[in-house]
Each structure stands twice: as C-alpha cells, then as structure tokens.
Amino acid sequence: MKKHLLIIFLALSQIAFSQTLEMPNFPDGVIIYDVSIKNQLIDFSEDGDWDFSEVSTDSDSAIQITPISDSPDAEDYPNATHAKYEDGNILFLGFEPTQYTYNGEQTFIDDSYVTPLVLIPYPFNVGETHTDGVFNIPFTCSGCPPELYRDHEVVTSSLSSGSVTMPDGFVYNNVTLVKITNTFTDGQTGSSPCITTLEQWLWWAEGYAIPIVESRTFSNSGQCAPPPPDYTKFLKTQTARVQVIHNSADAAAETVDVYLNETLLIPNFEFRTASPFVDAPAGLEIELSVAPPNSSGVEDAIYTAPVTLSADETYIVVADGIVSGSGYNPPQPFGLQIYDMGRELADESENTDVLVHHGSTDAPTVDIVETGVGAGTLVDNLSYTEFQGYLELPTADYIIDVTDETGSVTVASFQAPLASLELDGVALVAVATGFLDPSQNSDGPAFGIGVALPTGGPLVMLPELLGNQDHELSNAIALYPSPAKEQVTLSNRSNAALETAMIYDLKGKLVSQIDLQDMQSERVIDISSYATGVYMVHITGGQSSVVKRLIKE
C-alpha cells in the first residue's frame, strides 16, 4: 500500500522552490542515499507533473557522496568537491555556486579532467540550454592499448518543472527535469573511434546531491563494447518523525507562520499549541523560518534556523523566547530547541513517559518534586531551554511542586492526573510555559505547565494546586457512570461549593462550560451530543480544583 506522508499539518514532503535550479545545499560529511532501481527506461512526459506511484522496482542499492577531502584520490582530482560511489564506480564531481561539473572517473576506465566539464550552470532556468566540451583527455583501461584519448561533449536542457510522486507515495513539488546528452568519442589518435551516447533524464529537488529520479539509456557506434543496460533509479524516501510545539509567550509571536525553505507549512500557529507527530524529510539540510501571521512570504521571517534531521529518528522541536526588542525581562532570544530522542509511545505499556522542557523565560533553574505519592525529586536543576530525559512514570495521579534549584522555594504546585486520564502507554511532553512575573513581561500569560499530546492540538494545562483542599475535593467528587452514552452524574460529597465544570477533549479543545453554583449534592450532565472519546472535566470550587475523566461511548 502506498504511504502518503503528511508533514506538519500541510506537507514537508512537498518541498518547493522556483523553476530556477541552484547549487544543492546538502549536509557536510558523507551522505548515503538509498535508491530503488527499475531495470529499464520508463514512460514519462517531458512536461510535469510526474506520477511514478505505480512503478514497481526490481532491486535496491545505495549511492554514497563523500567530500573529496576524505577521498584517497583527492590529489588526482583537484577540481572536484565530492566523489560519488555508485554501482562499483567512482565519479568525481564538483558542486560550486556557479556550476555542477564532471572531473573524471574510475570505472572500467580511469581518467582525470584537467579542465572541469560543466554539466549544469547555476542558476539554470527552465527553457534554457547549455553546451560544453572537454577534449583529448588521456585515459587508461584494463586490457586496452596505450595512448587512448576521450572527447566528452554535453548538451544540457532544463525541460520543465512540476511535482513528482515517487513509487513509495512521497511527493516532491516544483522539481526540475533536466536532460543531459553526453557524447563520448574514445580511441587512439588516427584510429576509428568508439562513439557512445548517454542520455540522462534527471529530476532535481532542492537539497539533494543526486537527482531524486534518474532514467538513462546508452547507445554506441564504431569499435565499442556492448553498452551498459538501461535503468531508472528512484531515491528512497528518508524520513524522521517530528512534533513542533509553539511556546513563545511574547505577544508579538502569539500567532506565527512557519516556513520550510520557501513553503508555508503552518499558517497561524498559535501559542501553546503542538503539531501532531508527522513525517519530515531527512538526510538534507532544510531551513525552518518563523514569520508574523498572514505573512506574504519567507522574506518576512523574524527567525531562520538550518536543520538537518536523521532518518528514522524522532524529534521534539520547541519554539521558546522573545522576539520583541523591549517589554520583557529578561529578554531571552527566540530560538528552536530540538530534542532528538523523542517518543510517541511509552517504553512500557503500564507507564506514562514524560519529557520535561523548561521554556519559561523568567523562571529560575528548577527542580520538580512529586509530593502526592511520595515519588520525590523527579527533575533536578533544569535550566531555561533544557530538556530532562524522559521520566518513565507508573501511570498514577501525581501532585508536583516546581521549586527553585535549592528546593527551598516552591514556585507553583500542580495536579498531574495521568491515571484519571488513562494515559497508560502514552509519551507526553510537559513544557514550563508563560511568565512567573507577568508584570515584568508585558502582562503576558502566567506561568504554568502545558502538556503536548502525541496527537497535537492546544497544550493541556495542568490544574494548579492551590492548597490541601484539592486532595480532599478529589476524594469527594465522583463522575459516573463511565463510560456513558447519554448523561453522567456529578456527585459532591464535600461541603465545598462548586463553581464551574470545564469539559475538554484530549486535544485541549473546550467542549462545554457548566455553571455549578446552584448545584446541591448532584448534577446530571447531558453528553448525548458529544463525540465518542475521552474527555477531561476540570472542576473548580473556592480555592480548590480537581480533574476527572469522562468516557463517551
């Protein structure tokens, strides 16, 4: 079954750039691309779009791109920047801001081009054609006569651009199709040459050192060996899992647009909101940019960061900090904090795994101490922008104190009702968010702990614990039956007067707000119109609050 990959609400897979081909901006170091191979040319139009989703491939292979400085042959290829290892052959290539060049090979022949052959000039626009040639290149080959020479001529045309759907269903947008016709004239001076024509159709996407699709065919005439077989190669999709959390409490960044390179990915991304976990392209450098809402393009960005994701890894990306020039104390700069060992599920089904992140700009280095079941210190000396590795907690209802690093000053206390919400087997991200002193920070949102669920949505804010009454109220409040279809009964066995019941779904959306001020010992709540699922019921009364779980069948 074809796998269609969504990327942070829209589609990171749909990498966009203009119809002008530029030098690829790929990561430093050795790059290995996995490819799948069809042992023939395939039918396609030279005009985009291209859908290869029905192509079945015959085998798999890998292509390695290595910086020339890491190659033992570097001295023999001074104009090359990289060596390409493919099918047992080595090709020496040059990636430069103004051109993509060929500098020789170690295949069934060995040669080195003193003058680089320009395969593609940069920038290269759709509709343009380029020609180049390098002549009288000496080469050797096993079993061949001496004094062999090669002429190598190319005609390169940028044919069109469009989207490409790969055999695995992955989609690239605004890919440029380039055709290169290579003519090799090989032989001894004065003898009859072998003339070989290599036609290549190359689909280039931004950020890759190889085309995402290559289809090639050879033909020859004269005294030649049989030509190599035709093939079509497809880059195999490399992805990472990513969740993005907006935690910048600056009013100027309350809502932002998020870009990947030049593509708008998340319009109007709100403070204290998380994306779901999604597949993102890995193995290439991308640029994530943040711009004001309703931006006209990435040129409006207030922040840009290069990011390279590793294949098959899971990432948590949290946006923290201040973008304004004044009004915030301290003015911690805006930035993206990246945790590269994320989880979508707890390692053990009976646990809830919690990743803790300190994203409150004016909060001190903190400890987190559990006081409800006696678990003790959970987090020790966590500073702004830091992550605490996952806490593998037995799924229970906890009470947590956030203290300064000495443990002598309690900043705030919260309920963490993991058991009541049936979060067994779930991995969460708990983020310290907002300001301890809003008066020093443009009267911004107050300090709290927001929880990002793997499914994304508004952060679920943990109820703040205001006193011992909360524990007593929790024991006195009941919500039954559960599960229920039409209605539930809220029962209060305490003397506390209740005020409101706020019912949220697990994405943090407020479903209903119920006034409880006239409630006696019981109140029937109609849930017949609710969608099937699990809900959080946040009940407040006086200086107390409690969270209960509701299941709608």
Side-chain angles (χ1 to χ4, degrees), residues 292-315:
N294 304 312
S295 57
S296 59
V298 71
E299 61 274 8
D300 295 336
I302 57 177
Y303 178 85
T304 297
V307 178
T308 301
L309 306 178
S310 296
D312 303 321
E313 299 295 336
T314 300
Y315 293 84

Side-chain angles (χ1 to χ4, degrees), residues 429-481:
V429 183
V431 178
T433 179
F435 302 110
L436 278 182
D437 188 354
S439 69
Q440 294 294 309
N441 292 278
S442 300
D443 294 320
F447 180 86
I449 295 180
V451 174
L453 300 171
T455 51
L459 301 188
V460 178
M461 301 305 296
L462 295 185
E464 187 169 1
L465 191 67
L466 301 175
N468 292 331
Q469 300 96 326
D470 289 311
H471 186 66
E472 297 172 2
L473 186 64
S474 180
N475 291 331
I477 295 293
L479 194 64
Y480 60 90

Side-chain angles (χ1 to χ4, degrees), residues 26-31 64-69 71 77 79-85 90-95 101 103 209:
F26 50 87
D28 295 332
V30 175
I31 310 170
Q64 178 174 314
I65 303 293
T66 299
I68 195 64
S69 58
S71 168
Y77 298 90
N79 296 311
T81 63
H82 291 79
K84 179 182 182 181
Y85 297 82
I90 309 175
L91 309 179
F92 295 90
L93 309 175
F95 292 96
T101 63
N103 296 273

Side-chain angles (χ1 to χ4, degrees), residues 5-16 170-172 240 242 244 259-261 263 265 278-281 286 288 309:
L5 304 174
L6 298 178
I7 306 299
I8 310 178
F9 295 152
L10 297 181
L12 281 179
S13 63
Q14 298 178 351
I15 299 173
F170 201 81
V171 179
Y172 298 84
V242 179
V244 180
Y259 287 84
L260 170 70
N261 297 333
T263 301
L265 300 174
V278 290
D279 291 296
I286 58 177
L288 291 178
L309 306 178

